[in-house]
Amino acid sequence: MYVDDDPVYKRRRLVALAVVIAVVLGLCALGRVLLGGDDAEPAAAATPVAAAAPAKKATTVEQAAPPLRPQEEQGEPAGTADTELVRVQRITGGLTPKSVVASGQGLVLAQNMMYSHTVTAYRPDGARVATVSDTVELSDFGVKGHPGRSKGAPVEVAFSPDGRTAWVSQYSMYGKGFAPEGADSCTSGAGISNSYLYELDTSTFEVRRVVEVGAVPKYVAVTPDGRSVLVSNWCSMDLTVVDAAKATVTRTIPTGGQHPRGIAVSPDSTTAYVAIMGSDRTVAVDLAKGSVRTLAETGDKPRHVVISPKGDYLYVTNSGAATVSKVEVSSGEVVAEAKTAADPRSTAISPDGAALYVVEYGAVRVSKILTADMELVDSEPTDGLPIGVTYEPTTKRVWVACYSGSIVVYDDSRRGA
C-alpha cells in the first residue's frame, strides 16, 4: 500500500499562501530530496470559501513573452533523435504549476492546484493570454447542495482533438456542502467528497460545463476519437468515463488497485492503460466492456504513462524505482528500461515518437531518453520541484512545470554546437 508521508504535504494550508510561496522559493534545494508520494506538495494555504475573481476572457495578452535567451550555443536543425535540449526561457508570475500541457494547436495550459486556484494559458512563445479562476457557482450548472461560490484545485488537463475544449480535473472542491479535502494518503474514498471535472472553452476560457467524478481525481485523457474523457480517481480507486458531447458519466470502472494515476489511450480509442501508483502494475481497461486486466509489472510506483504514435509501445515512469520502462503493448513484456535519477514524475513523448522527456523531481532536472534503445542522452537542470512536462510541437520546445513557481522552457530543435 502506498502512503504519502511527506511532511511538506501535511503542513499545507497552515500558513498564508503568499508567505509559503516565498518560503518554498527559498527552500527549493531542500524540496529536491523530498520523496514522499505522488504529490509531494509545497506547503500552501487557501481559505476554502473565499471568493475569487470570475474567469477572464483571452481578449488581450496579459503578460508579454519573456525573452528567448539560449544558455548554450546551438547547431543546425535536426531530427528529434539528434537534437539537444537547450534552456531558452523562464516564465514566472503567479504560478505554482502542478502540470503543464500543450494542445498542439498553439495553446499551453498550466494548472496551479489549490495554491493559486488558477489555470494559466500561454501562447507557444510564452506570452500569457489568460488567467482562469477555479471558482464556480455550481448552481449555474444545475448542481444542487453547494450554494454560493465553490473553489476547485486544478491538477491536470487534457485537450479535445481539435483543441477547442480543455478538460481540467479538480483535486478537491472547497465550499458549502463539501467535506474536507482528500489526501494522498487515502486508502478509500470514504469520507471524501467527490470532485469535479471542468470543461473550458479555449477561445473564451470560460467554464462551460462541469461533471461530477470520483474522489481526488488526478489524470485526465481524451480518447483520440474525441468521444470520451477519462479521469483517474486517486482515492475512490476507479476510472470515470465521461461522454464528451453530453458531459455525463457513462461508466465508472474500478481499477483493481490503489491510487490509479497516469492514463494513455490506444489510437483506436478502445483501450485505456492506467498506471496504478500504489503498486507496480499498469492495467489495460477495455472501455466498451469495462473489464480490467494487468498488462505489465514495471516497478515501484508507476506514475505516468505515454503511448507511441503507432500504439505499439507504452512508456511508464516508475517513481519509486527511478526507471522508465518500455512495454510492448501486444505482449505486456518490458522490452527495455532506462535508469533515471531519483523520483521520475511526468513524461512527454515527441510527436515522432523518437524521444521521451522525463522530469526527475529528486534530481531537479529534465532528461531526454531515446525510445529506440531507451538510452538517456541528455539532462538539464530545472528550477526547484519539477513536476510536469509537455512537448509544444509548433516550436519544438519542452516546457517543464516547477512547483517552486516557474515554467522553464527548453528548445529541442537543433544539434549541439
Side-chain angles (χ1 to χ4, degrees), residues 20-36:
V20 172
I21 290 177
V23 172
V24 171
L25 288 170
L27 297 178
C28 286
L30 176 61
R32 297 172 186 177
V33 298
L34 295 176
L35 299 177

Side-chain angles (χ1 to χ4, degrees), residues 377-403:
V377 295
D378 195 6
S379 293
E380 296 294 330
T382 67
D383 287 356
L385 314 180
I387 189 79
V389 62
T390 193
Y391 185 96
E392 203 297 301
T394 69
T395 56
K396 298 183 179 180
R397 294 176 190 159
V398 177
W399 292 45
V400 175
C402 301
Y403 256 159

Side-chain angles (χ1 to χ4, degrees), residues 129-141:
V129 296
T131 300
V132 185
S133 169
D134 64 14
T135 297
V136 294
E137 295 217 14
L138 290 171
S139 60
D140 291 346
F141 302 95

Side-chain angles (χ1 to χ4, degrees), residues 96-99 110-120 132-135 151-157 168-174 196 198 200 217-218 403:
T96 51
K98 173 59 187 296
S99 65
Q111 288 58 245
N112 295 302
M113 288 281 281
M114 71 285 292
Y115 315 119
S116 301
H117 282 291
T118 58
V119 172
T120 45
V132 185
S133 169
D134 64 14
T135 297
K151 294 183 118 180
V155 54
E156 296 278 1
V157 68
V168 184
S169 58
Q170 308 295 324
Y171 181 98
S172 187
M173 298 295 294
Y174 307 91
Y196 282 77
Y198 291 6
L200 295 183
K218 292 287 185 97
Y403 256 159

Side-chain angles (χ1 to χ4, degrees), residues 17 23 43 119 172 178 203 215 240 270 320 362 364 371 402:
L17 176 60
V23 172
V119 172
S172 187
F178 289 106
S203 63
T240 300
T270 63
V364 195
T371 58
C402 301

Side-chain angles (χ1 to χ4, degrees), residues 336-339 356 368-378:
E337 190 172 79
K339 184 67 177 176
L356 302 173
K368 179 177 178 178
I369 297 170
L370 299 184
T371 58
D373 56 9
M374 296 301 285
E375 180 184 2
L376 195 157
V377 295
D378 195 6

